[in-house]
Amino acid sequence: MQHVDDALLIAYADDALAPAERGAVEAHLVSCAECRARVDEERALAQRASAVLGIGAPDAAVVPSFDDVLRRTGRSDATSSAAITTQRPTRRSFRPLALAATLIVALGAGWIARTLFLSPAFNAPEQRTEAAADDAARSAARSEQAEPGEQPPLMPDQAVTPGAADTDAAPAERQSFEALEEVGAEADAQQSQVAVVPPAPSAAAPPAADTSASTLMRRMADSAAGARADVVAERVVAVAPAPPPPPPSAPAPAQQKAAVMESATAVRTVTAPGEVAAADAEWQGTSAAAAAGRGTVVRGVPDAPVEVVWVGRSTAPWRARVVQRIDGAAVEIVEWRALGAGTAGSEGTLPDGRSYVFTTSGSALLRLRADLPLARLRAVAGQIAPLE
Amino acid sequence: MGADWEAVYRTTFSDLVRYLYRKVWDAERAQDLAQESFARVLDRERHAGADDEVENPRALIFTVAANLARDEARTVIRRKKHLALLKSDTEAGGPEEPDPVDEMQRDAERQAAQDALRKLSERDREVLLLWDAGLSYEEIAEQTGLAQGAIGTTLSRARRKLVAAYETMEGRHAARG
């Protein structure tokens, strides 16, 4: 069998390929265990190297105020960063990708108000607008210095003020933002925000964990260069879902999660950023419809509440994983790609008391697990159908 | 209209400090140089005029930072690495007294990581550090002058060497105690 060039596999493992190339590699990986193993190997190696590089590195959580930087530039009026951005007389043309990147950061750190302020709309020489932007920048800078957990002051009010200076640039921004909101709303409600400046960890926690979150988001934005803003946002959500925060929310502690299927009977939730990046899950959300919109029809019990949907990477042994609430219990339904993960009809009880049932639905092989009596789970299995 | 430098600062600062740390091996100095890098770029921006738009602010910051670090190495006498590492640890450390045995172990690890990194060729090391700081293949290629197609294999080789060297050295350092 022809294999993929090692350089491409490495780039794939690093998420450094453009969508077209990535698709081609993925297509090969579906049927080539050797290349898949190479990709896994490289990812593990990259993780290990990152860990070594992180040893002894400075505490990443404390980012000094931007004012310190401004003071160094020798400006006499160094107390407001808005002074720098608003002095440009020309209006910048709207750049979707840059805005998306800003909005992605904004979602993570509750900076939505800030982004609205620094858009071209507020470069008008109008005194009132500049003053308002000035104040917002100051309060935003101040809020960044606040302890994690404190509410950023004035943010909701400032967010309301700029509505008056609406320009043609604003609707385009709002459009992208709506796309982000829509995608964000589908994210798993259990996932918390990804903070750009996470709170200080204990000394024992590896600094590598803190930088990687923002690193990962940047890499996702980079590799989608040229894509539309909402597509970029979707991809970010794929790894780090962030529900749109209400304006007064403070930056929450960062906690990305992903699902890794270790075997037919074991799922592991990973939280370390390196592991999250390498996880088997390609996408997670809370709606089967959203998964279908991405091209993966998931199966489950129609009309039962869906709590979370995971879509597996093409290299993962599973295609989809759904958790639904049935009879008060969380029922996990995993669809496997290949047979051999368990035989249909096989069923039993796990050591922890949960029941499991393997079944087929159409051409899909599914495994159900839940803290329900086996007979009940068997009945549930009989109801499995594609979800819309 | 220039880039939103405060946003770039927020998202890049930690990575930049980490990148610089591994060049100057002093946490405080790394932070200082990181801020200095931003200040210099902002100065340049201010004088460049409204027409010049920075294509890639992040890559520019790293270039400036790398230059500053190189100058630093030439002109500043480095303090004993040992002391610098201990200092950075106490800055970031928790409230309790660190266990002396633990301290030695961590010390050994840090020394090993440092030595392992030095084992790499300058080009391999730079590629690895830039990747770790979050730059894309394209950005790394631009900064280092390598072909974009060579970045992956360079990275893989650098990672392998680093991990192997670290594991060898950690053993040695820990044994020495």
Side-chain angles (χ1 to χ4, degrees):
Chain A
M1 176 194 261
Q2 280 250 317
H3 290 293
V4 173
D5 189 43
D6 200 47
L8 272 178
L9 287 177
I10 297 167
Y12 176 80
D14 286 346
D15 282 324
L17 289 181
E21 286 176 305
R22 200 171 127 249
V25 172
E26 275 176 352
H28 173 80
L29 289 178
V30 168
S31 46
C32 179
E34 202 177 307
C35 288
R36 276 204 302 273
R38 178 72 188 93
V39 168
D40 289 341
E41 183 204 1
E42 190 61 34
R43 283 188 176 145
L45 183 61
Q47 223 175 299
R48 187 86 188 95
S50 247
V52 172
L53 289 171
I55 291 173
D59 186 355
V62 183
V63 180
S65 155
F66 193 54
D67 286 351
D68 290 346
V69 173
L70 292 172
R71 249 173 255 124
R72 286 165 183 259
T73 64
R75 291 178 61 80
S76 50
D77 169 34
T79 52
S80 167
S81 60
I84 288 187
T85 54
T86 54
Q87 71 182 319
R88 311 283 183 184
T90 57
R91 180 180 298 178
R92 179 163 61 114
S93 61
F94 179 58
R95 281 172 52 182
L97 185 64
L99 176 70
T102 315
L103 284 171
I104 288 164
V105 169
L107 272 182
W111 270 35
I112 295 162
R114 176 145 203 82
T115 307
L116 289 172
F117 270 108
L118 296 174
S119 76
F122 299 101
N123 285 337
E126 246 239 20
Q127 190 69 11
R128 213 177 342 130
T129 319
E130 266 193 31
D134 243 24
D135 286 340
R138 269 207 201 86
S139 65
R142 235 183 290 126
S143 70
E144 282 302 318
Q145 294 173 42
E147 293 292 309
E150 268 187 35
Q151 303 267 343
L154 303 177
M155 290 275 267
D157 294 333
Q158 302 296 347
V160 168
T161 316
D166 213 6
T167 67
D168 53 310
E173 291 164 39
R174 232 180 279 127
Q175 188 194 9
S176 304
F177 185 58
E178 270 158 20
L180 281 170
E181 268 196 79
E182 192 193 350
V183 174
E186 291 164 352
D188 188 345
Q190 293 166 4
Q191 305 297 324
S192 38
Q193 301 169 20
V194 176
V196 173
V197 181
S202 67
D210 300 316
T211 56
S212 294
S214 55
T215 301
L216 187 65
M217 287 170 95
R218 273 206 305 288
R219 288 207 190 119
M220 298 293 296
D222 273 346
S223 59
R228 289 175 301 126
D230 51 345
V231 173
V232 174
E234 244 186 82
R235 288 196 60 190
V236 174
V237 170
V239 182
S249 75
Q255 184 76 159
Q256 287 179 289
K257 284 193 244 173
V260 175
M261 307 298 279
E262 297 193 314
S263 70
T265 52
V267 176
R268 190 161 59 93
T269 300
V270 295
T271 53
E275 289 184 319
V276 167
D280 287 350
E282 178 167 70
W283 181 85
Q284 57 201 52
T286 52
S287 144
R294 294 177 53 88
T296 302
V297 174
V298 300
R299 292 168 195 274
V301 175
D303 300 329
V306 173
E307 297 194 337
V308 63
V309 180
W310 306 75
V311 172
R313 291 186 194 280
S314 57
T315 50
W318 54 284
R319 178 174 285 114
R321 175 176 168 249
V322 177
V323 176
Q324 290 185 277
R325 183 92 12 203
I326 298 172
D327 287 1
V331 178
E332 178 200 66
I333 303 160
V334 178
E335 182 186 332
W336 297 97
R337 283 188 203 285
L339 292 169
T343 30
S346 166
E347 58 180 39
T349 309
L350 296 174
D352 64 9
R354 283 180 294 168
S355 307
Y356 68 89
V357 171
F358 282 88
T359 186
T360 52
S361 170
S363 59
L365 171 70
L366 301 145
R367 185 205 70 210
L368 285 79
R369 273 201 311 191
D371 195 4
L372 287 173
L374 185 53
R376 181 75 187 101
L377 195 61
R378 206 183 296 129
V380 168
Q383 298 175 282
I384 300 288
L387 297 179
E388 342 215 303
Chain B
M1 167 73 152
D4 176 2
W5 286 106
E6 176 145 10
V8 177
Y9 175 75
R10 293 281 164 218
T11 54
T12 314
F13 188 79
S14 294
D15 290 331
L16 188 65
V17 170
R18 190 162 133 144
Y19 169 79
L20 283 166
Y21 174 77
R22 291 193 215 97
K23 289 178 179 287
V24 301
W25 295 109
D26 179 336
E28 204 176 286
R29 201 73 197 107
Q31 185 132 325
D32 197 46
L33 285 175
Q35 294 208 312
E36 190 59 37
S37 307
F38 272 98
R40 299 228 175 163
V41 172
L42 285 173
D43 271 336
R44 194 189 295 188
E45 262 263 284
R46 205 156 30 102
H47 294 124
D51 296 331
D52 283 1
E53 183 164 338
V54 180
E55 274 301 316
N56 190 336
R58 213 169 70 227
L60 177 60
I61 286 289
F62 276 93
T63 309
V64 170
N67 291 333
L68 280 178
R70 204 177 317 133
D71 294 343
E72 171 99 347
R74 285 189 201 128
T75 59
V76 175
I77 300 166
R78 272 188 255 167
R79 283 178 274 167
K80 278 195 132 178
K81 296 165 243 167
H82 221 68
L83 291 174
L85 291 170
L86 282 172
K87 184 167 187 268
S88 68
D89 177 56
T90 52
E91 277 166 8
E96 334 78 45
E97 278 290 315
D99 177 17
V101 174
D102 240 15
E103 186 71 33
M104 276 164 46
Q105 172 62 23
R106 274 206 302 270
D107 224 14
E109 284 174 9
R110 271 193 296 257
Q111 194 59 44
Q114 216 177 306
D115 292 344
L117 200 56
R118 289 221 182 79
K119 283 266 166 193
L120 303 178
S121 73
E122 186 170 333
R123 181 187 65 185
D124 285 2
R125 184 169 54 239
E126 192 61 20
V127 169
L128 190 59
L129 290 184
L130 289 173
W131 167 252
D132 190 67
L135 271 64
S136 66
Y137 273 30
E138 196 179 321
E139 289 168 332
I140 298 175
E142 207 176 289
Q143 291 241 146
T144 57
L146 291 170
Q148 193 167 335
I151 300 297
T153 43
T154 306
L155 268 177
S156 187
R157 180 178 63 237
R159 286 165 183 157
R160 241 174 260 279
K161 278 196 197 158
L162 178 75
V163 172
Y166 173 74
E167 274 159 10
T168 313
M169 300 209 169
E170 192 204 7
R172 275 196 223 136
H173 281 290
R176 230 187 292 137

